[in-house]
Amino acid sequence: MMRTRPLKVALLGCGVVGSEVARIMTTHADDLTARIGAPVELAGVAVRRPSKVREGIDPALVTTDATALVKRGDIDVVVEVIGGIEPARALITTAFEHGASVVSANKALLAQDGAALHAAAVEHGRDLYYEAAVAGAIPLIRPLRESLAGDKVNRVLGIVNGTTNFILDKMDSTGAGYQEALDEATALGYAEADPTADVEGFDAAAKAAILAGIAFHTRVRLDDVYREGMTEVTAADFASARQMGCTIKLLAICERAADGGSVTARVHPAMIPLDHPLASVRGAYNAVFVEAEAAGQLMFYGPGAGGAPTASAVLGDLVAVCRNKLSASTGPGESAYTQLPVSPMGDVVTRYHISLDVADKPGVLAQVATVFAEHGVSIDTVRQSGKDGEASLVVVTHRAADAALTGTVDALRKLDTVRGVASIMRVEGE
């Protein structure tokens, strides 16, 4: 039976995403009512600049007092799309205390304080949903948290930042340098005026922490994620990748150790074979590759950012939370029963592509090979070219621990015949 009394929604933030959430709630009101089993009503919108004209939103709903809005007591669901740590954290916990469940898109907050927020939700019998926090419109968190709840996920490998993928794709397809590709991304609106969070991997690292926690049923915080940006990737790196039949992507990689006793989470540029599904992800799109014990290999692909795509994920969570409200239940919360430790980057085992600038004279290759052998790093292939006394030596290793590779590179830098280490790139997806 359809309930006539509406469920009341408070919207915190009315920027690109928030305004789309409000628009869809209005234009799809009848459909949302039918899907939920009760009407939903936008009861208030908290913003910083109340004088700004917001098309389709009743000015009477707009307020600058977000705290008072979530404390009203008649709010059923709070949608938080303001981002950042504070005041978002305080507003979410206040919402729980005053009877509201929460839908959030706040990846930074969830990666830093997800455990505390989940605990607060449980304490007050509320829902905390956040599909929009990772990969925009792509359904990913709910499949990991619910559809694969009976399976064992061993690896999550993905492109989770559209800005960096656009830049790297442009460098690969046109031969553009990093700055040129970044300038184009900025002009097209893919990159912020300050792109640091994207290009230095902070955004992807927050998402990796969330994904690893859900996939492996353990607590992974942002500080646990190894992070390396992609600002040092060059056209020469792409040329080397092409010679190996690879391209370069900024990847978020979450893995369960082979013995099942620990997990790792990392973000860094990596070469990936052209026949891997992630290699064909172009432009500002996102894609996540999941490897599970029973389900096998799964691929999730789609737009990872933008107002409408992210709002789609927010509205999906809103429908789920409202249904739970009507049935006086809550959905799945945090699952961290495994309490697995997060291993340091030094324990991660993978392949490496190392470019060295060396003297062009006999015996150099033997010296370099000896250093690799002394550190227990096995060489797969070597390519050397040079003239006029200078040469380039490209070494591709078999799988080795990051700590062993670090020791190898430190020792190589001490050789008189090695002029410098031009680049080090991990090779993934094989």
Side-chain angles (χ1 to χ4, degrees):
M1 181 177 178
M2 184 73 66
R3 187 177 104 165
T4 57
R5 183 170 64 82
L7 293 159
K8 293 188 177 183
V9 177
L11 179 60
L12 308 183
C14 198
V16 173
V17 176
S19 59
E20 276 295 309
V21 170
R23 183 190 66 80
I24 295 172
M25 285 184 64
T26 301
T27 58
H28 294 182
D30 291 343
D31 286 337
L32 291 174
T33 297
R35 293 167 189 173
I36 292 169
V40 286
E41 173 188 311
L42 188 59
V45 182
V47 299
R48 291 180 181 175
R49 297 185 298 275
S51 60
K52 180 180 177 181
V53 176
R54 294 174 171 85
E55 186 177 349
I57 295 178
D58 183 352
L61 297 178
V62 176
T63 179
T64 58
D65 194 342
T67 301
L69 178 59
V70 300
K71 282 184 173 181
R72 274 178 34 175
D74 65 337
I75 299 298
D76 294 290
V77 184
V78 169
V79 174
E80 183 272 309
V81 288
I82 57 178
I85 305 302
E86 291 293 358
R89 174 169 49 197
L91 290 169
I92 289 173
T93 54
T94 301
F96 292 147
E97 292 166 1
H98 288 79
S101 290
V102 173
V103 172
S104 176
N106 196 330
K107 53 187 172 289
L109 177 57
L110 288 158
Q112 179 172 306
D113 289 320
L117 293 177
H118 275 292
V122 171
E123 178 185 355
H124 297 285
R126 312 300 173 204
D127 272 324
L128 174 62
Y129 276 50
Y130 43 91
E131 185 67 64
V134 180
I138 304 172
L140 182 59
I141 289 177
R142 193 170 288 121
L144 283 174
R145 191 161 67 171
E146 298 180 34
S147 303
L148 294 174
D151 207 338
K152 180 181 179 182
V153 176
N154 292 315
R155 194 178 200 215
V156 179
L157 173 77
I159 298 164
V160 295
N161 183 278
T163 299
T164 54
N165 198 60
F166 177 89
I167 292 170
L168 293 172
D169 182 38
K170 186 61 62 174
M171 292 175 69
D172 188 21
S173 60
T174 69
Y178 166 75
Q179 190 60 50
E180 182 183 352
L182 172 59
D183 290 344
E184 183 172 349
T186 304
L188 292 172
Y190 293 127
E192 301 287 344
D194 179 1
T196 303
D198 294 325
V199 300
E200 293 294 351
F202 291 101
D203 175 85
K207 296 169 182 176
I210 294 170
L211 290 174
I214 296 170
F216 306 134
H217 304 278
T218 196
R219 286 177 178 164
V220 180
R221 299 181 75 250
L222 181 58
D223 292 345
D224 296 322
V225 182
Y226 172 84
R227 178 195 55 79
E228 185 181 316
M230 41 77 73
T231 58
E232 301 300 319
V233 176
T234 66
D237 291 326
F238 274 102
S240 293
R242 282 191 289 273
Q243 290 180 334
M244 289 182 59
C246 293
T247 188
I248 299 171
K249 300 291 186 182
L250 184 74
L251 298 177
I253 305 169
C254 311
E255 293 179 307
R256 189 191 299 268
D259 64 3
S262 64
V263 299
T264 59
R266 51 198 165 102
V267 169
H268 54 72
M271 293 183 180
I272 189 165
L274 292 174
D275 60 1
H276 192 282
L278 292 178
S280 61
V281 178
R282 312 302 296 269
Y285 274 68
N286 284 191
V288 178
F289 199 72
V290 176
E291 298 177 12
E293 195 167 90
Q297 298 178 333
L298 308 171
M299 175 95 157
F300 300 84
Y301 170 84
T310 306
S312 171
V314 169
L315 266 295
D317 279 351
L318 179 63
V319 169
V321 170
C322 286
R323 287 171 174 169
N324 291 343
K325 277 277 183 178
L326 292 179
S327 63
S329 64
T330 55
E334 183 188 34
S335 175
Y337 71 92
T338 63
Q339 300 182 19
L340 296 173
V342 182
S343 296
M345 186 62 187
D347 292 346
V348 170
V349 176
T350 189
R351 295 181 69 205
Y352 292 86
H353 176 283
I354 304 103
S355 296
L356 304 172
D357 295 325
V358 300
D360 188 13
K361 61 182 184 181
V364 173
L365 180 57
Q367 286 184 326
V368 169
T370 298
V371 169
F372 275 88
E374 288 174 346
H375 289 80
V377 179
S378 176
I379 294 174
D380 183 17
T381 62
V382 177
R383 187 174 68 254
Q384 185 173 1
S385 61
K387 61 179 180 179
D388 300 328
E390 299 295 331
S392 174
L393 192 64
V394 175
V395 178
V396 179
T397 73
H398 288 289
R399 291 175 62 82
D402 187 85
L405 196 281
T406 299
T408 302
V409 172
D410 288 344
L412 288 171
R413 287 194 169 104
K414 296 176 182 178
L415 294 177
D416 292 338
T417 51
V418 175
R419 309 294 192 225
V421 179
S423 71
I424 303 171
M425 188 80 64
R426 296 172 182 85
V427 183
E428 301 285 350
E430 296 183 307

